[in-house]
Amino acid sequence: MEQPLVTICIPTYNRADSLLNLSLKSAVQQTYTHLEIIVIGDCCTDHTEEVIRQFNDPRIIFENRESRGEYPAETYQHWLVAGSIPTNRALELASGQFITHLDDDDEFAEDRIEKLVNFAKETRADLIYHPFYYYVVPEHWVVNDAEPLMCAKITTSSMFYHHWLKCVPWDPKSYLLNEPGDWNKVRRMLELGIKTARYPEPLTKKH
Protein backbone atom coordinates (compact mmCIF):
# COMPACT_ATOMS: atom_id res chain seq x y z
CA MET A 1 0.00 0.00 0.00
CA GLU A 2 1.33 3.42 -0.92
CA GLN A 3 2.47 5.51 2.00
CA PRO A 4 0.63 8.82 2.55
CA LEU A 5 2.18 11.98 1.19
CA VAL A 6 3.49 14.29 3.93
CA THR A 7 3.91 18.02 3.32
CA ILE A 8 6.64 19.90 5.20
CA CYS A 9 6.03 23.67 5.25
CA ILE A 10 9.12 25.88 5.70
CA PRO A 11 8.72 29.67 5.78
CA THR A 12 12.00 31.55 5.50
CA TYR A 13 13.48 35.01 5.37
CA ASN A 14 17.14 35.51 4.45
CA ARG A 15 18.41 32.41 6.23
CA ALA A 16 19.92 30.55 3.32
CA ASP A 17 22.71 29.07 5.43
CA SER A 18 20.23 27.75 8.00
CA LEU A 19 18.25 26.09 5.22
CA LEU A 20 21.44 24.55 3.87
CA ASN A 21 22.78 23.25 7.18
CA LEU A 22 19.69 22.72 9.36
CA SER A 23 16.06 22.79 8.27
CA LEU A 24 16.02 21.88 4.59
CA LYS A 25 18.94 19.52 5.01
CA SER A 26 17.07 17.61 7.73
CA ALA A 27 13.90 17.55 5.60
CA VAL A 28 15.47 15.99 2.51
CA GLN A 29 17.39 13.46 4.63
CA GLN A 30 14.26 11.97 6.24
CA THR A 31 14.07 8.18 6.22
CA TYR A 32 10.46 8.63 5.09
CA THR A 33 10.76 9.73 1.49
CA HIS A 34 7.21 10.35 0.23
CA LEU A 35 7.42 14.06 0.93
CA GLU A 36 6.39 17.39 -0.48
CA ILE A 37 8.66 20.13 0.87
CA ILE A 38 7.28 23.62 0.39
CA VAL A 39 9.65 26.50 1.07
CA ILE A 40 8.10 29.98 0.97
CA GLY A 41 10.38 32.99 1.06
CA ASP A 42 9.03 36.08 2.79
CA CYS A 43 10.55 38.25 0.05
CA CYS A 44 14.07 36.86 0.53
CA THR A 45 16.88 38.99 -0.84
CA ASP A 46 19.82 36.69 -0.06
CA HIS A 47 21.00 33.51 -1.83
CA THR A 48 18.08 31.34 -0.66
CA GLU A 49 17.04 30.35 -4.19
CA GLU A 50 20.61 29.34 -5.07
CA VAL A 51 20.85 27.15 -1.96
CA ILE A 52 17.57 25.42 -2.76
CA ARG A 53 18.75 24.68 -6.31
CA GLN A 54 21.86 23.03 -4.86
CA PHE A 55 19.71 20.34 -3.26
CA ASN A 56 18.47 19.33 -6.72
CA ASP A 57 15.50 17.57 -5.13
CA PRO A 58 12.25 17.40 -7.14
CA ARG A 59 10.24 17.16 -3.90
CA ILE A 60 11.09 20.79 -3.07
CA ILE A 61 8.72 23.54 -4.16
CA PHE A 62 10.07 27.07 -3.73
CA GLU A 63 8.18 30.31 -4.04
CA ASN A 64 9.49 33.72 -3.02
CA ARG A 65 6.88 36.33 -2.15
CA GLU A 66 7.21 39.62 -4.00
CA SER A 67 6.68 41.67 -0.85
CA ARG A 68 7.52 41.17 2.81
CA GLY A 69 4.66 40.30 5.13
CA GLU A 70 3.41 43.06 7.37
CA TYR A 71 4.24 42.40 11.02
CA PRO A 72 4.17 44.62 14.12
CA ALA A 73 7.23 46.77 14.65
CA GLU A 74 7.60 46.00 18.36
CA THR A 75 10.22 43.24 18.78
CA TYR A 76 8.29 40.79 20.94
CA GLN A 77 5.05 41.16 19.01
CA HIS A 78 7.00 40.70 15.78
CA TRP A 79 8.50 37.47 17.12
CA LEU A 80 5.05 36.14 18.00
CA VAL A 81 3.81 36.21 14.41
CA ALA A 82 6.84 36.48 12.09
CA GLY A 83 6.57 33.99 9.24
CA SER A 84 2.82 33.54 9.56
CA ILE A 85 2.10 34.94 6.09
CA PRO A 86 4.47 32.67 4.10
CA THR A 87 3.34 29.77 6.28
CA ASN A 88 -0.24 30.34 5.18
CA ARG A 89 0.89 30.39 1.56
CA ALA A 90 2.59 27.03 2.12
CA LEU A 91 -0.68 25.69 3.54
CA GLU A 92 -2.52 26.86 0.44
CA LEU A 93 -0.13 24.82 -1.73
CA ALA A 94 0.06 21.77 0.55
CA SER A 95 -1.38 18.58 -0.96
CA GLY A 96 -0.16 15.99 1.55
CA GLN A 97 -2.47 13.78 3.60
CA PHE A 98 -0.45 14.92 6.59
CA ILE A 99 1.09 18.34 7.19
CA THR A 100 3.96 19.38 9.40
CA HIS A 101 5.97 22.55 9.86
CA LEU A 102 9.65 23.38 10.19
CA ASP A 103 11.12 26.74 11.14
CA ASP A 104 14.04 27.63 8.89
CA ASP A 105 16.56 27.42 11.75
CA ASP A 106 15.22 24.19 13.32
CA GLU A 107 15.96 20.59 12.39
CA PHE A 108 14.17 17.24 12.47
CA ALA A 109 15.54 13.92 13.68
CA GLU A 110 16.10 11.90 10.51
CA ASP A 111 13.36 9.36 11.35
CA ARG A 112 10.82 11.90 12.62
CA ILE A 113 8.33 11.69 9.76
CA GLU A 114 8.54 7.90 9.59
CA LYS A 115 7.78 7.59 13.30
CA LEU A 116 4.92 10.09 13.23
CA VAL A 117 3.22 8.56 10.19
CA ASN A 118 3.23 5.18 11.93
CA PHE A 119 2.02 6.78 15.17
CA ALA A 120 -0.80 8.54 13.33
CA LYS A 121 -1.92 5.22 11.87
CA GLU A 122 -1.86 3.62 15.33
CA THR A 123 -3.64 6.39 17.22
CA ARG A 124 -5.87 7.83 14.47
CA ALA A 125 -5.24 11.20 16.07
CA ASP A 126 -5.95 14.41 14.18
CA LEU A 127 -3.01 16.25 15.76
CA ILE A 128 0.20 14.72 17.05
CA TYR A 129 2.77 16.66 19.04
CA HIS A 130 5.98 15.66 20.79
CA PRO A 131 8.79 16.86 23.08
CA PHE A 132 11.58 18.89 21.53
CA TYR A 133 15.11 20.03 22.29
CA TYR A 134 15.76 23.72 22.64
CA TYR A 135 19.06 25.53 22.57
CA VAL A 136 20.21 27.25 25.76
CA VAL A 137 23.93 27.95 25.42
CA PRO A 138 26.53 26.57 22.98
CA GLU A 139 26.42 22.78 22.93
CA HIS A 140 23.80 22.65 25.68
CA TRP A 141 20.29 21.46 24.92
CA VAL A 142 17.28 21.10 27.21
CA VAL A 143 14.17 19.00 26.54
CA ASN A 144 10.74 20.59 26.59
CA ASP A 145 8.56 17.64 27.63
CA ALA A 146 5.43 18.93 25.81
CA GLU A 147 3.22 18.14 28.79
CA PRO A 148 0.51 19.25 29.09
CA LEU A 149 -0.55 20.53 25.68
CA MET A 150 -0.50 24.27 26.29
CA CYS A 151 1.29 27.45 25.26
CA ALA A 152 5.10 27.11 25.55
CA LYS A 153 4.78 23.30 25.44
CA ILE A 154 4.44 23.15 21.68
CA THR A 155 6.41 24.77 18.90
CA THR A 156 5.90 25.17 15.17
CA SER A 157 8.31 22.32 14.41
CA SER A 158 6.73 19.82 16.82
CA MET A 159 3.23 19.46 15.35
CA PHE A 160 1.97 16.95 12.79
CA TYR A 161 -1.64 16.83 11.67
CA HIS A 162 -4.20 15.61 9.14
CA HIS A 163 -4.63 17.72 6.02
CA TRP A 164 -8.17 18.77 6.88
CA LEU A 165 -6.76 20.99 9.62
CA LYS A 166 -5.07 23.17 7.01
CA CYS A 167 -8.38 25.04 7.20
CA VAL A 168 -7.05 26.54 10.45
CA PRO A 169 -4.45 29.04 9.21
CA TRP A 170 -1.84 30.99 11.14
CA ASP A 171 -3.31 34.26 12.40
CA PRO A 172 -0.93 37.19 11.70
CA LYS A 173 -2.78 39.17 14.37
CA SER A 174 -2.48 36.64 17.20
CA TYR A 175 -0.04 39.05 18.85
CA LEU A 176 -3.12 41.06 19.87
CA LEU A 177 -3.96 38.14 22.16
CA ASN A 178 -0.32 37.94 23.28
CA GLU A 179 -0.22 34.45 21.73
CA PRO A 180 2.53 33.03 19.51
CA GLY A 181 1.23 31.94 16.14
CA ASP A 182 1.90 28.23 16.69
CA TRP A 183 -0.03 28.02 19.95
CA ASN A 184 -2.83 30.20 18.59
CA LYS A 185 -3.29 27.75 15.72
CA VAL A 186 -3.25 24.72 18.02
CA ARG A 187 -5.68 26.34 20.47
CA ARG A 188 -8.14 26.95 17.64
CA MET A 189 -7.69 23.36 16.47
CA LEU A 190 -8.54 22.13 19.97
CA GLU A 191 -11.70 24.21 19.97
CA LEU A 192 -12.89 22.05 17.05
CA GLY A 193 -12.87 19.02 19.33
CA ILE A 194 -10.05 17.19 17.57
CA LYS A 195 -8.34 14.05 18.84
CA THR A 196 -4.74 14.63 19.94
CA ALA A 197 -1.89 12.29 20.81
CA ARG A 198 1.55 12.92 22.30
CA TYR A 199 4.49 11.04 20.81
CA PRO A 200 6.90 10.47 23.72
CA GLU A 201 10.29 11.10 22.09
CA PRO A 202 11.86 14.49 21.27
CA LEU A 203 12.12 14.63 17.47
CA THR A 204 13.02 18.27 16.79
CA LYS A 205 15.88 20.58 17.69
CA LYS A 206 14.76 24.18 18.13
CA HIS A 207 17.67 26.56 17.65
Side-chain angles (χ1 to χ4, degrees):
M1 186 175 75
E2 187 177 0
Q3 292 281 55
L5 178 67
V6 176
T7 299
I8 302 175
C9 300
I10 307 177
T12 189
Y13 176 64
N14 287 357
R15 282 182 169 171
D17 293 338
S18 291
L19 288 170
L20 178 64
N21 298 307
L22 298 171
S23 57
L24 191 51
K25 178 181 178 181
S26 74
V28 301
Q29 291 182 345
Q30 288 295 297
T31 56
Y32 188 92
T33 59
H34 195 199
L35 300 174
E36 173 185 67
I37 305 167
I38 302 177
V39 184
I40 305 294
D42 205 359
C43 195
C44 295
T45 57
D46 65 352
H47 56 295
T48 290
E49 186 171 1
E50 178 185 340
V51 162
I52 290 171
R53 281 201 304 268
Q54 288 177 24
F55 281 94
N56 193 28
D57 192 320
R59 299 173 300 173
I60 302 173
I61 299 167
F62 175 62
E63 181 179 295
N64 194 24
R65 286 172 41 83
E66 293 184 358
S67 60
R68 183 97 162 101
E70 293 185 9
Y71 308 108
E74 194 276 324
T75 302
Y76 177 68
Q77 291 181 341
H78 181 97
W79 174 81
L80 289 175
V81 296
S84 55
I85 294 170
T87 296
N88 284 338
R89 176 57 180 160
L91 284 174
E92 290 175 5
L93 298 175
S95 59
Q97 291 172 255
F98 293 98
I99 297 174
T100 193
H101 297 268
L102 181 55
D103 283 343
D104 60 7
D105 59 345
D106 291 352
E107 56 185 322
F108 288 157
E110 65 177 9
D111 55 356
R112 178 182 184 267
I113 304 296
E114 180 180 358
K115 287 180 173 178
L116 294 183
V117 167
N118 291 334
F119 193 61
K121 292 177 179 178
E122 293 170 13
T123 62
R124 303 187 70 82
D126 300 302
L127 167 68
I128 293 168
Y129 58 100
H130 57 76
F132 54 92
Y133 298 102
Y134 64 94
Y135 179 83
V136 181
V137 293
E139 303 305 318
H140 183 63
W141 296 85
V142 175
V143 175
N144 184 315
D145 61 7
E147 285 190 309
L149 180 54
M150 59 181 288
C151 188
K153 290 292 186 176
I154 193 164
T155 188
T156 299
S157 306
S158 68
M159 63 177 80
F160 184 91
Y161 54 88
H162 274 276
H163 68 96
W164 70 271
L165 283 167
K166 68 183 282 185
C167 69
V168 183
W170 251 249
D171 182 358
K173 295 189 181 299
S174 68
Y175 69 90
L176 295 172
L177 300 173
N178 199 35
E179 289 183 339
D182 46 16
W183 168 246
N184 177 271
K185 177 181 172 74
V186 170
R187 179 180 60 76
R188 288 182 291 128
M189 286 180 176
L190 295 174
E191 290 173 355
L192 297 174
I194 63 171
K195 180 181 179 181
T196 66
R198 176 184 176 273
Y199 189 83
E201 297 177 34
L203 297 174
T204 296
K205 281 187 173 181
K206 181 173 177 58
H207 288 261

